[in-house]
Amino acid sequence: MLGGFAYLGKGLHVAWQAGDSDFQHRAREYADFERQVYPNVRLPQADYTMPKAHTVYPPYALPMFAVFFGTGNFETARALLQILSLAALLAMMHQGTRILGEHGWQAGFLGAALAVAISGNYSAFALGQFSIVVMGLITLQMHMLQRDKPGLAGICWAFAMIKPQIALPFALLFILRRQWRGLGLGLGLLAALSLGAFWWTGVSATDFGEAGPTAGKLLFVRDANYSAGVWISALGINPRAATFISLILLAGIALLLILFDLRKRLNLSDAAGVLSMLGFVLFYHRVYDNMMLFPLILAMVSRTFRNGWRIQDLGTTGVLALTLYLHPGLAERSDIFSALTFFAPIAAAFLILRNCFGGKVVERACVRTGGRRKKRGEP
């Protein structure tokens, strides 16, 4: 916990002293958008001759930037991003404490530390990335689904889609819970924001499509040392084709969830862990996005406590923890560490699913109750 907060402090210091370069680029993109210019160099606009920024974010993200840059003061926007990131960490700390706290206060404290200590958080603060805020919104989405408030869950998920490579797989939580209204509201909000961005800048959706799938670059993978890049490079697949394959796989999993009602076998926490693995393995991300695996490490630690410290649970959780909590630069310098980073989440998700579909009856019953202790006489 102390090491995690120290690393966060270092990231805050770098952001204010050296400048958060990614967030500054978002500010330039929003400045163009505010002048009714779409920040895409492939979309020339005759009445605008100044150099334009070039965004890789989806159209609906541009209006979302107003939350931060609408005040017109960059320092205020930076402070707001950092405050929201810290609030998101608090939300995840609360979730970790709640889920692991039933095993004792020490386990609850460990649950609180799981999110704070992820080493990629330093880069998220230093560069000014949205990844921590996004996972905070996903945490709220899960909370709202548990409280049977699909509308609020849909709004949380829609705003989390500012980084689709993290949030997109969590749309399947609505399918798992049969909360179609929440999914529809979230998709409708994204569509409305996209149309608003096109209307504001005078760019048609057709022009945007013909200019090239710039927004889709968030899903393209060019670095072989980061999750999806491992299998794309190994198989020699074109990154755009790999993105199409990933989306097809995600759609296939969604179809399976629709055809087979899995609510009785897979609780929300475990499902979020498996879905975080899918986002990590299938889509582009950098080390500052490693927070997306918080639901998976939380589910695995909970499983390890719940199932009596079995060696396969403890070993897989340990390897997964190494990839999340050691220095993030190891993935760039070590092929072995890069391979562990890719395969550890897959192994963890496999154990969760095996527990749900092929484990002992007692374990399945525990999953159905959400990991809590069963009351006397409860089946």
Side-chain angles (χ1 to χ4, degrees), residues 21-199:
S21 56
D22 288 359
F23 197 58
Q24 291 178 22
H25 196 75
R26 301 292 87 77
R28 291 193 292 271
E29 293 165 3
Y30 181 76
D32 281 348
F33 179 72
E34 196 174 31
R35 290 190 287 264
Q36 295 183 277
V37 175
Y38 197 99
N40 185 330
V41 295
R42 298 192 184 96
L43 288 169
Q45 291 173 277
D47 57 345
Y48 189 76
T49 58
M50 294 175 61
K52 287 199 295 183
H54 186 72
T55 188
V56 294
Y57 276 66
Y60 57 75
L62 297 174
M64 293 183 187
F65 290 166
V67 173
F68 301 98
F69 306 114
T71 62
N73 184 285
F74 181 77
E75 285 71 23
T76 301
R78 173 189 288 158
L80 179 58
L81 173 63
Q82 293 172 352
I83 290 171
L84 290 176
S85 297
L86 292 172
L89 282 174
L90 288 175
M92 286 180 276
M93 290 171 66
H94 173 74
Q95 184 186 35
T97 301
R98 181 178 59 81
I99 292 178
L100 296 185
E102 67 175 39
H103 303 288
W105 70 267
Q106 300 96 330
F109 191 82
L110 173 63
L114 287 177
V116 175
I118 292 177
S119 57
N121 292 346
Y122 159 74
S123 299
F125 274 95
L127 296 174
Q129 281 285 331
F130 300 119
S131 49
I132 299 176
V133 175
V134 166
M135 278 312 304
L137 289 168
I138 295 299
T139 301
L140 288 177
Q141 174 198 357
M142 295 170 60
H143 180 67
M144 294 304 171
L145 285 175
Q146 287 174 330
R147 296 183 62 185
D148 198 25
K149 295 184 177 180
L152 292 176
I155 293 173
C156 291
W157 174 76
F159 280 102
M161 279 288 288
I162 195 171
K163 287 185 77 74
Q165 70 271 40
I166 295 179
L168 182 61
F170 292 98
L172 273 60
L173 290 178
F174 294 107
I175 298 175
L176 180 68
R177 303 282 290 199
R178 301 281 174 156
Q179 295 286 10
W180 305 108
R181 187 175 60 180
L183 179 60
L185 179 60
L187 292 174
L189 182 56
L190 294 178
L193 289 172
S194 297
L195 292 175
F198 291 143
W199 169 80

